[in-house]
Amino acid sequence: MGLAMAQNVQRFLQKDTKPQLRFWNRTPSRGTSLEKLGAIGCESVAQLVTECDLIFISTSDDAALNSILDQILAVKDIDGKLFVDTTTVHPNTTKETDEKLKNRNASFVAAPIFGATPAAQSGTVLMAMAGPSEAIDQIAPFGKGVIARDVMIVSDQPEKATLLKTLGNFIVAGAMEIVGEAHVLAEKSDLGADMLEKLLELNFGMMYSSSRRMTQGVYIPGEGQSPQSNLDLGIKDVQHGITCAKDFGARLKVAEVALDNMVRAKEFADAHGGRSLDSSSGYGIIRQDAGLDFENNFVKKRDTGKDGDSSQ
C-alpha cells in the first residue's frame, strides 16, 4: 500500500515539476521502483524528517508506527513539521501519536486508507482525514486525484479518522462472513455459487466484491502470490473494532464470529507450511465447519489443473 501511494505521489510531483519525493523503508531494496521514478532514498527516518516538512507514514500496525514515531521524536528539531499517518491503527494509538507530536510543536493528521493494494496502485482508494483544518488544507493537493479517488474530512480530532476506518473494516469483515456463510449454504443445497453471485451482483452491491474474493480464489492465493489483503493485518483490524466497541460500552457480535474464523484460518495456514492467506480466508473455515474442504473447486482447479470434488 505504502509503495503504491508513494509512486503516485512521485508521479504527481514530477508532473508539477516540484521537488522530488524523499523516502525511507525498512527494506531498502523495496524502494528500487521509486528510485527509477526519480525519488530519492534516505538512509534513516532521521534524515528524511530533517530534510522534509511534510512526511507521510504508511506502515503495518501499531507497533511499527510506534517504532517510527520514536525515531521521529529522536530528531532534535521537528517544529512546524506536518506528519500524516495512513496506517490502520487503534484510535488510542492515533490519539497518543497526536499528543506526542503536539508536545514537540509538530502537526499531525490521521489519514487512513479504505481499499486494498490494487486500488492504491490505481489511486482509487478512499482516504479519511482528521486533524487541524490548516494541516488538512496543506495535504489536500496529494489527496483526491493523486493518492485517492476521494477524501472524507472527518473531524479536527485525528483519532476519529481511525475510528471510522475501524468501523469500515468491521463492515467489510461482516460482509465477508455473511457472504461466506451464504455461499456455503448455496453449495450444500445445490443452488450453486453462480446463482448466488448473480444475486449479489444485481441486488447487493458491495457484497459482490466480497463474493468474488471467494469464488475466484482470492481468499487463498496461488503459490508465490501475495494476498490482496493480508490475513494477519485483517485479524489486527477486526480486533481493533472489537476493543473499540468494548471501550464505548457496545459489542460487535458479527466481528467476534468473523475474528474466530480468521484466527482459525491463520491456524490452518500455519499447519500447511505458513502459506499466506487473504483476510477473506475465514470463508475456508466456514466451508470446513459445513463438511467441505477449505479449498473450493476454483482453487483446486487453479492449483492442480484438475476439477475437484469440494466435499470431504
Side-chain angles (χ1 to χ4, degrees), residues 192-254:
D194 290 345
M195 187 58 66
L196 173 62
E197 194 159 78
K198 190 64 176 178
L199 172 65
L200 294 172
E201 179 184 12
L202 294 175
N203 206 50
F204 292 97
M206 175 192 117
M207 290 189 175
Y208 176 64
S209 62
S210 297
S211 178
R212 299 292 284 178
R213 289 171 74 173
M214 299 169 194
T215 61
Q216 300 304 301
V218 174
Y219 77 100
I220 178 168
E223 290 293 343
Q225 294 181 336
S226 298
Q228 187 179 101
S229 176
N230 186 276
L231 175 60
D232 290 337
L233 298 183
I235 290 172
K236 176 261 299 183
D237 292 344
V238 176
Q239 286 173 330
H240 282 344
I242 291 170
T243 58
C244 281
K246 184 177 180 181
D247 290 344
F248 288 100
R251 187 176 176 186
L252 301 179
K253 293 183 180 180
V254 174

Side-chain angles (χ1 to χ4, degrees), residues 242-287:
I242 291 170
T243 58
C244 281
K246 184 177 180 181
D247 290 344
F248 288 100
R251 187 176 176 186
L252 301 179
K253 293 183 180 180
V254 174
E256 293 170 6
V257 174
L259 177 63
D260 180 66
N261 287 334
M262 293 167 78
V263 169
R264 289 172 61 196
K266 173 64 175 173
E267 293 170 354
F268 173 90
D270 291 343
H272 291 77
R275 184 171 183 174
S276 294
L277 296 181
D278 188 75
S279 59
S280 58
S281 56
Y283 166 60
I285 297 300
I286 299 170
R287 291 178 58 80

Side-chain angles (χ1 to χ4, degrees), residues 21-180:
L21 177 77
R22 281 169 166 73
F23 70 92
W24 174 84
N25 191 283
R26 284 174 293 183
T27 307
S29 60
R30 296 199 64 191
T32 301
S33 60
L34 275 171
E35 291 177 336
K36 289 180 179 178
L37 291 174
I40 302 169
C42 293
E43 293 184 357
S44 65
V45 171
Q47 179 189 352
L48 186 145
V49 171
T50 300
E51 296 180 358
C52 301
D53 293 323
L54 171 58
I55 299 100
F56 284 85
I57 302 169
S58 178
T59 191
S60 56
D61 55 27
D62 302 57
L65 174 61
N66 285 329
S67 174
I68 291 172
L69 182 61
D70 288 342
Q71 296 173 71
I72 290 170
L73 296 174
V75 176
K76 183 176 181 180
D77 183 11
I78 60 172
D79 283 15
K81 295 183 183 290
L82 170 55
F83 296 87
V84 183
D85 181 33
T86 66
T87 312
T88 299
V89 295
H90 194 286
N92 290 344
T93 301
T94 299
K95 187 173 182 179
E96 292 167 3
T97 300
D98 182 41
E99 291 171 350
K100 290 176 181 179
L101 289 171
K102 276 183 179 177
N103 288 337
R104 293 288 305 277
N105 297 316
S107 298
F108 178 70
V109 170
I113 301 298
F114 295 78
T117 300
Q121 291 169 339
S122 61
T124 56
V125 294
L126 175 66
M127 176 180 276
M129 290 187 186
S133 58
E134 60 274 17
I136 290 175
D137 289 344
Q138 189 176 338
I139 304 163
F142 302 95
K144 186 175 181 178
V146 178
I147 292 176
R149 71 178 188 276
D150 210 342
V151 174
M152 295 179 63
I153 307 302
V154 182
S155 170
D156 60 356
Q157 302 173 56
E159 65 270 19
K160 298 300 185 185
T162 42
L163 177 58
L164 182 67
K165 178 62 194 299
T166 296
L167 288 174
N169 288 337
F170 160 64
I171 292 170
V172 171
M176 289 191 294
E177 177 66 28
I178 291 170
V179 171

Side-chain angles (χ1 to χ4, degrees), residues 187 287 293 295-312:
E187 183 172 335
R287 291 178 58 80
D293 288 341
E295 303 90 345
N296 63 13
N297 276 346
F298 180 95
V299 171
K300 289 180 179 181
K301 185 175 182 180
R302 180 198 66 199
D303 292 354
T304 67
K306 299 177 182 179
D307 289 309
D309 181 1
S310 61
S311 62
Q312 289 185 331

